[in-house]
Amino acid sequence: MMMLKLFGIIFFCGLFSPSHEVLSGLSCAISPTAVEKVLSDAIFGNNLLQSHLNGLAFPNILSGGGLLNSPISITGLHLVKVRLPKLSVLLLPGTGIKMTISARLQLSGNCLIGIIPEAIDILVDVKITTNIKCANFESGTVQVIMEDCLCILGTAKVKVLSGLVSLSINDIILTHLTATLPRVVCPVVGVVINLVNIRLLGSLNAVFPVGEAGMIHYQLAGLPFTSGFFLGMDLDGSVMQVGGSIIPHDSSPSSLPPLRDHSMILTMGEGFFCAAVTLLLQIGTQTMPCTLEYVSVAATLATSMCPQFPQCSACHGTSPLTIKIELLGNPVVILEENKATLELSVLIQLFIKPLDGPIITVLLLKADLRLNVQVSVTGGRLVLILNLG
């Protein structure tokens, strides 16, 4: 059994290409639900959004009142807590991602109604909607652009210690927040999105060691792309041996299969797959001693092949038969529909090593093997199980 680490692709960005042809050897398609989960975990995880919004100050609310209303002054208004945050995502074909954050904001400050000063708490429901695009691709990196940030306010609940709050105060506060909330909150959301972008897109330029044989390096091959059904990305993969030499591979055009019920699909081109398997199979010559029950067979073969040693005294159970297998050239993986086959050439040597004296080769055989490949994903790894057909 051999394992090739399934590339830990974490994604972010909405894209542009109306059509798409895979040329890089590695591509993935991610469902809107999966995009939503990743962004939600990144933005709300570790209280990232909360920590950047905490203490956010709002302009004072001042109202001169009227004939029947007392003057109102609300100062020191700041955000205390973000409650019940929820994120939703809509993929815009050829445009990007429309992201909506719904939350209840808790604000506190000092209130003066007439001549009575007291603390004031405000709970306001808000939907923050913004479009996210990617641009300026260069050397595996892209720039994330946030545009059209809108804040839509729902109901506002105002509470003061005395409980003396009129409907007019509610209307004044809601009107004030409608005007000021977008220019206060949207820049902070932009900062959070950039932080998330740095963290997530950083995972798209990574190097994975493959034992002591070498490493696999991949990075974003171009701007991500969106349809109404998935967000997709191409990755440019390089397979490097120890010392820095790159195992070449062809990149043939292909297309992404439909997602159906999957949250993500990762496709790997045949050329890249062959290069990765070539790296994995650089395990050196394998030497395996056999059990003693085969020694008599080896002795018979050795006697028949070596008439100059009719007694084959070296083969009387004192030296076990040994099999040595050496890989010749690079393996080739052939991918067909619902089927994968590995072709490789090996040199097989059966020999006996006496306690004293030269090695006696019983059989030397060059074999072209064709192995069936069973592919599965287990524990975040692509698992290849090979068996001789």
Side-chain angles (χ1 to χ4, degrees):
M1 180 183 297
M2 294 177 294
M3 295 186 179
L4 174 64
K5 185 164 185 178
L6 183 63
F7 313 114
I9 298 174
I10 309 177
F11 41 83
F12 184 46
C13 282
L15 298 311
F16 313 72
S17 303
S19 62
H20 171 241
E21 190 175 65
V22 177
L23 292 172
S24 61
L26 281 170
S27 299
C28 66
I30 307 106
S31 70
T33 302
V35 175
E36 189 173 282
K37 184 179 187 310
V38 169
L39 290 179
S40 181
D41 290 346
I43 292 175
F44 301 145
N46 297 321
N47 290 321
L48 181 63
L49 181 64
Q50 173 83 47
S51 63
H52 281 77
L53 288 177
N54 271 355
L56 193 64
F58 292 82
N60 296 334
I61 301 176
L62 303 173
S63 174
L67 294 176
L68 301 177
N69 295 320
S70 302
I72 300 172
S73 173
I74 300 176
T75 59
L77 196 61
H78 62 281
L79 195 146
V80 175
K81 190 173 183 180
V82 180
R83 297 187 177 186
L84 306 174
K86 184 179 179 182
L87 183 143
S88 61
V89 162
L90 177 65
L91 300 183
L92 306 175
T95 302
I97 293 176
K98 182 177 182 180
M99 184 183 73
T100 300
I101 297 176
S102 301
R104 177 169 294 175
L105 305 183
Q106 180 181 344
L107 311 177
S108 292
N110 302 309
C111 178
L112 180 65
I113 303 176
I115 59 172
I116 305 174
E118 54 187 320
I120 187 171
D121 288 319
I122 302 170
L123 289 176
V124 57
D125 294 326
V126 62
K127 283 188 177 181
I128 306 166
T129 302
T130 182
N131 292 337
I132 303 172
K133 296 182 178 180
C134 288
N136 304 327
F137 172 81
E138 183 178 359
S139 300
T141 62
V142 295
Q143 178 184 3
V144 173
I145 300 173
M146 187 186 83
E147 58 182 27
D148 302 328
C149 181
L150 302 174
C151 290
I152 302 175
L153 273 65
T155 58
K157 297 181 180 180
V158 181
K159 180 180 178 181
V160 294
L161 187 61
S162 64
L164 301 176
V165 177
S166 65
L167 291 177
S168 62
I169 294 179
N170 275 39
D171 292 340
I172 291 171
I173 290 174
L174 194 58
T175 300
H176 178 81
L177 292 178
T178 300
T180 60
L181 200 63
R183 66 172 182 262
V184 174
V185 172
C186 282
V188 178
V189 174
V191 170
V192 170
I193 288 175
N194 281 323
L195 290 173
V196 169
N197 168 54
I198 292 171
R199 192 175 83 186
L200 295 186
L201 284 186
S203 67
L204 292 177
N205 190 342
V207 176
F208 288 100
V210 182
E212 298 180 356
M215 61 189 65
I216 293 176
H217 171 242
Y218 66 78
Q219 64 180 9
L220 199 62
L223 285 172
F225 50 95
T226 52
S227 72
F229 304 102
F230 68 88
L231 175 138
M233 283 178 284
D234 284 345
L235 300 176
D236 186 14
S238 298
V239 183
M240 294 175 285
Q241 297 173 306
V242 171
S245 61
I246 295 178
I247 300 175
H249 64 86
D250 296 329
S251 294
S252 302
S254 61
S255 58
L256 287 166
L259 276 171
R260 298 195 179 118
D261 297 329
H262 302 288
S263 60
M264 184 181 84
I265 288 180
L266 173 66
T267 65
M268 191 180 304
E270 189 174 69
F272 177 83
F273 193 47
C274 285
V277 171
T278 297
L279 185 64
L280 285 169
L281 289 181
Q282 291 182 1
I283 55 180
T285 301
Q286 300 297 301
T287 303
M288 299 162 285
C290 294
T291 57
L292 290 176
E293 64 185 273
Y294 294 106
V295 173
S296 60
V297 178
T300 302
L301 286 172
T303 301
S304 63
M305 298 176 67
C306 309
Q308 66 271 36
F309 301 110
Q311 302 303 317
C312 197
S313 59
C315 304
H316 289 167
T318 57
S319 302
L321 178 68
T322 300
I323 299 177
K324 179 180 177 182
I325 301 178
E326 181 180 356
L327 183 65
L328 300 177
N330 292 333
V332 176
V333 179
I334 300 174
L335 301 178
E336 304 171 85
E337 186 173 358
N338 299 321
K339 182 181 179 181
T341 307
L342 176 67
E343 294 183 349
L344 69 162
S345 296
V346 296
L347 186 66
I348 303 173
Q349 180 185 11
L350 279 71
F351 65 89
I352 297 171
K353 179 65 171 70
L355 295 178
D356 52 359
I359 292 176
I360 300 174
T361 297
V362 177
L363 178 66
L364 190 62
L365 175 67
K366 178 181 178 294
D368 294 324
L369 303 180
R370 190 175 177 89
L371 305 178
N372 296 326
V373 183
Q374 296 179 1
V375 183
S376 62
V377 177
T378 304
R381 292 175 181 267
L382 183 62
V383 180
L384 311 180
I385 302 176
L386 308 181
N387 58 80
L388 190 62

